[in-house]
């Protein structure tokens, strides 16, 4: 399930503090819909592992023929040749490619069901995922220690990404990548993005890193143990084993794990700094201070009454913000620069907290101590758009109605909450939607 890019893919799935899409199976990858950015993980404007669509790996149904698709391939081949792809690579890579109707079905019918963050975290750091992760750390201790030493990225964090992306290599995806990307590029809805990924995939094949028949992954083009998309692979994958290939597909996860560490290191990972720390907020806390744009040292937060669970100031790991992924009724976290680094892999708060918390549990840390407001009905994508329309109609500034609960929408929610005399925690909930409808 990997994520990377985050700046790019265009948000096929939006996951915010208010909800995420997830499989809910603790032995399967947790495909969090990634904000598809221009990249990302969908891909970000950087070729990183980008935000990707949720990834159920059901067997794909293929159509026997599609004349329009065949004509598109011929036109594409001309464009690929102009970018340096050889006839030999094209002929080998497209030998058995057909229009894949199963891929289109998945792209068209991504589930609208969203899980609340506490349900997502239940699966991300489930007992089974923790147990399997600790076993993976022991089994691959030598290579993970070497990766940590070389790239300066905590091995538990690398393992946590691996666990969420492919359940420690158990679910790497078996869909032919060239066929999936060609189908999506031809389909046209995000044609430019997927054609760029297709060119990148052909460049990988042409370089000899993998044969077309072995280049498999998810329906949206994510590949290997930690689910790189092709452009992210080209930019960040490494040959850790020294065999001349950057092999993220084989049973040996070394290159994939090292590539993930190299990626995180590239974006500024600080060894030993936590992604975040669960904290306690004082009675009467000003919830407008819980913003990514407001940073203070842990000592300064302690002066405002924000402490660790032990009642003491959090150690000085650097400037930090307060994050309330479920509003005032759920857990509170003090988050540091490493939070933003994981975010480069996948921008969803739920994913970042999932990776961070799983990494903490893999090294023996405790579960999240605060209770969550369980039992709340998730707010759907359509309801998020309705909420944005109502906020705009009431005069609160919003850039667009897109169903994504990002910083602009959170600020508008807080402004409305203040006007309504309720706690301004910026949390998009059924209760908030009801209040907007009534006023």
């Amino acid at each position: 399930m990997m994520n990377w890019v985050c700046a790019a893919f265009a948000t096929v799935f939006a996951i915010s503090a208010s909800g995420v899409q997830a499989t809910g199976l603790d032995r399967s990858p947790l495909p969090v819909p990634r904000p598809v950015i221009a990249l990302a993980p969908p891909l970000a404007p950087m070729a990183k592992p980008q935000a990707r669509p949720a990834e159920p790996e059901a067997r794909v149904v293929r159509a026997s023929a599609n004349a329009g698709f065949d004509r598109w391939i011929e036109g594409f081949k001309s464009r690929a040749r102009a970018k340096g792809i050889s006839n030999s690579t094209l002929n080998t890579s497209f030998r058995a490619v057909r229009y894949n109707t199963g891929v289109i079905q998945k792209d068209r019918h991504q589930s609208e069901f969203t899980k609340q963050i506490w349900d997502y975290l239940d699966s991300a750091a489930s007992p089974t995922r923790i147990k399997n992760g600790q076993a993976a750390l022991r089994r691959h201790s030598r290579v993970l220690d070497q990766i940590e030493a070389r790239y300066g990225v905590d091995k538990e964090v690398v393992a946590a990404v691996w666990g969420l992306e492919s359940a420690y290599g158990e679910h790497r995806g078996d869909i032919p990548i060239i066929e999936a990307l060609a189908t999506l590029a031809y389909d046209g809805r995000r044609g430019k993005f997927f054609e760029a990924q297709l060119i990148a995939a052909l460049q990988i094949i042409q370089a000899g890193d993998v044969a077309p028949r072995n280049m498999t992954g998810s329906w949206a083009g994510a590949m290997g143990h930690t689910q790189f998309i092709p452009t992210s692979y080209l930019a960040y994958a490494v040959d850790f084993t020294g065999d001349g290939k950057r092999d993220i597909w084989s049973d040996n996860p070394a290159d994939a794990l090292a590539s993930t560490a190299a990626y995180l290191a590239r974006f500024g990972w600080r060894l030993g700094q936590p992604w975040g720390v669960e904290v306690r907020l004082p009675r009467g806390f000003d919830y407008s201070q819980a913003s990514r744009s407001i940073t203070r040292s842990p000592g300064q937060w302690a002066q405002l009454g924000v402490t660790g669970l032990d009642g003491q100031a959090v150690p000085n790991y650097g400037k930090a913000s307060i994050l309330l992924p479920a509003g005032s009724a759920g857990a509170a976290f003090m988050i540091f620069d490493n939070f933003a680094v994981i975010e480069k892999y996948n921008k969803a708060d739920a994913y970042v907290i999932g990776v961070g918390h799983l990494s903490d549990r893999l090294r023996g840390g405790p579960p999240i101590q605060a209770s969550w407001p369980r039992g709340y009905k998730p707010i759907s994508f359509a309801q998020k758009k309705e909420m944005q329309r109502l906020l705009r109609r009431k005069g609160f500034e919003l850039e667009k109605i897109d169903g994504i609960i990002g910083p602009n929408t959170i600020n508008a929610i807080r402004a409305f909450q203040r006007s309504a005399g309720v706690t301004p925690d910026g949390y998009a909930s059924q209760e908030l939607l009801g209040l907007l409808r009534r006023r």
Side-chain angles (χ1 to χ4, degrees):
M1 268 189 53
M2 184 156 187
N3 350 355
W4 305 78
V5 198
C6 260
F9 210 175
T11 311
V12 169
F13 290 152
I15 303 183
S16 67
S18 61
V20 301
Q21 295 187 354
T23 59
L25 301 176
D26 57 17
R27 288 188 62 81
S28 68
L30 270 185
V32 180
R34 305 170 184 190
V36 186
I37 334 182
L39 92 111
L43 287 158
M46 299 179 156
K48 342 172 172 189
Q50 304 168 357
R52 289 186 312 269
E55 323 194 311
E57 296 291 357
R59 177 59 56 187
V60 173
V61 178
R62 298 176 188 170
S64 59
N66 184 310
F69 180 65
D70 293 340
R71 288 191 297 272
W72 179 88
I73 287 178
E74 290 309 308
F76 167 77
K77 285 181 177 179
S78 295
R79 298 190 293 277
R81 291 187 193 98
K83 293 181 179 295
I85 305 300
S86 69
N87 283 326
S88 175
T89 298
L90 289 168
N91 292 337
T92 302
S93 301
F94 280 90
R95 183 167 295 148
V97 167
R98 298 289 183 274
Y99 181 73
N100 193 317
T101 58
V103 165
I104 296 302
Q105 288 167 9
K106 287 172 181 167
D107 187 52
R108 287 285 185 272
H109 302 292
Q110 294 168 21
S111 172
E112 288 189 5
F113 176 74
T114 58
K115 283 201 168 190
Q116 297 285 28
I117 188 169
W118 47 89
D119 294 323
Y120 179 78
L121 293 176
D122 285 348
S123 183
S126 70
T128 298
R129 204 178 296 274
I130 294 168
K131 177 183 176 182
N132 291 345
Q134 291 173 335
L137 281 165
R138 292 191 296 271
R139 187 165 58 252
H140 300 281
S141 61
R142 181 171 171 274
V143 71
L144 282 166
D145 285 343
Q146 291 173 341
I147 288 170
E148 180 177 283
R150 180 177 300 184
Y151 297 104
V153 176
D154 303 73
K155 61 187 176 183
E156 294 86 0
V157 172
V158 174
V161 172
W162 188 23
L164 264 63
E165 293 296 344
S166 70
Y168 309 107
E170 290 186 17
H171 300 278
R172 284 167 263 167
D174 61 359
I175 296 174
I177 291 297
I178 297 299
E179 181 168 282
L181 292 174
T183 297
L184 290 166
Y186 165 71
D187 178 60
R189 193 164 69 88
R190 287 169 288 150
K192 181 181 261 188
F193 169 79
F194 283 113
E195 182 161 326
Q197 297 308 312
L198 182 54
I199 291 288
L202 292 168
Q203 290 171 335
I204 294 167
I205 291 169
Q206 187 160 286
D209 283 303
V210 65
R213 67 180 178 279
N214 295 329
M215 182 184 265
T216 56
S218 77
W219 65 266
M223 311 176 296
H225 287 266
T226 49
Q227 297 289 279
F228 275 70
I229 62 168
T231 51
S232 295
Y233 174 98
L234 288 177
Y236 303 105
V238 299
D239 173 18
F240 189 75
T241 62
D243 65 355
K245 297 181 179 181
R246 297 181 290 175
D247 186 0
I248 64 173
W249 299 271
S250 72
D251 290 339
N252 181 353
D255 282 359
L257 298 178
S259 297
T260 297
Y263 177 85
L264 295 174
R266 162 66 177 77
F267 288 97
W269 185 267
R270 292 176 57 187
L271 183 66
Q273 182 191 70
W275 63 275
V277 175
E278 188 178 2
V279 294
R280 287 188 180 139
L281 304 180
R283 187 182 301 277
F285 178 72
D286 178 2
Y287 285 93
S288 67
Q289 298 299 298
S291 169
R292 294 289 293 277
S293 65
I294 298 174
T295 61
R296 296 186 175 91
S297 70
Q300 290 171 325
W301 281 116
Q303 291 174 7
L304 297 177
V306 180
T307 67
L309 298 183
D310 60 0
Q312 303 300 310
V314 171
N316 187 14
Y317 297 114
K319 292 290 188 179
S321 300
I322 303 302
L323 177 68
L324 305 174
S328 60
F333 300 96
M334 185 179 294
I335 59 173
F336 300 91
D337 288 345
N338 278 348
F339 186 97
V341 177
I342 300 174
E343 218 173 19
K344 295 293 184 179
Y345 211 87
N346 185 319
K347 288 193 81 69
D349 283 354
Y351 179 85
V352 179
I353 297 171
V355 167
H357 182 53
L358 177 58
S359 71
D360 292 342
R361 300 302 307 280
L362 292 180
R363 60 169 58 96
I368 292 170
Q369 299 299 296
S371 60
W372 296 103
R374 296 179 184 273
Y376 280 32
K377 180 182 177 182
I379 185 167
S380 70
F381 179 72
Q383 288 173 324
K384 290 174 185 176
K385 293 179 74 172
E386 180 188 359
M387 181 178 293
Q388 290 174 324
R389 283 193 294 270
L390 289 170
L391 286 166
R392 179 181 282 180
R393 192 176 303 160
K394 295 177 188 301
F396 297 97
E397 186 175 349
L398 282 173
E399 290 183 358
K400 53 188 174 182
I401 308 299
D402 57 7
I404 300 171
I405 308 300
N408 291 325
T409 300
I410 290 173
N411 288 338
I413 289 173
R414 280 185 170 145
F416 167 72
Q417 288 172 322
R418 289 191 196 95
S419 71
V422 299
T423 301
D425 59 8
Y427 185 53
S429 65
Q430 293 286 351
E431 181 179 11
L432 176 69
L433 180 58
L435 186 59
L436 280 165
R437 287 168 174 168
R438 292 192 299 273
R439 286 179 172 258

